[in-house]
Amino acid sequence: MSSVQASSVCGSLRWWLHLCTLPWVAVLLRVVLGGVFVFAGFSKLLLPHAEVVAHMQQYQVLPGWLVSITATFLPWIEVGSGTALLVGFCTTPAALLIGGQLLGFSALMGMVLAAGIPLADCGCFGNLGLPETPLQVLIRDLLMLVLLLPILYRQRDALGLDAWSSAPASYEA
């Protein structure tokens, strides 16, 4: 790598690290990522359970008994963790839970791509007309994983419910 390329990479990394420290960036990313998860979860909850199961069966990766359980609980986990992140309640645990989901979704898409399983639509957003290929989903999920970093770095911000817990518990007279 030439010195010009190396300085460009270092400059980009410094810019990204500086961006991670800005409070408004964490708030914006918290709202966007939390909103995506709330939207994805509700889009699945609006579908009949059998349709969500059918979306998950197309991956051909999970055993049959696990598909139904996942189809039952995953939308609620998405809505719960997304809402917590959206309002800034238990921000770090919510961000870690969303990070775990994103890692799981990324691994699933990696397996689908490696196995060559043809998917017309991942079903990530129910039947809302947002079809995505496994490669698009993998790229989106990895990008969202990177966007969690400023949230984890900041942990609290003035517009989140977590900030209320940093106030003094009581005043002595």
Side-chain angles (χ1 to χ4, degrees), residues 74-97:
L74 180 63
W76 290 106
I77 293 169
E78 288 176 330
V79 169
S81 59
T83 301
L85 194 61
L86 188 65
V87 300
F89 178 70
C90 295
T91 304
T92 300
L96 290 172
L97 182 56

Side-chain angles (χ1 to χ4, degrees), residues 87-111:
V87 300
F89 178 70
C90 295
T91 304
T92 300
L96 290 172
L97 182 56
I98 285 177
Q101 291 173 72
L102 288 170
L103 286 172
F105 299 154
S106 297
L108 177 64
M109 288 302 121
M111 286 188 272

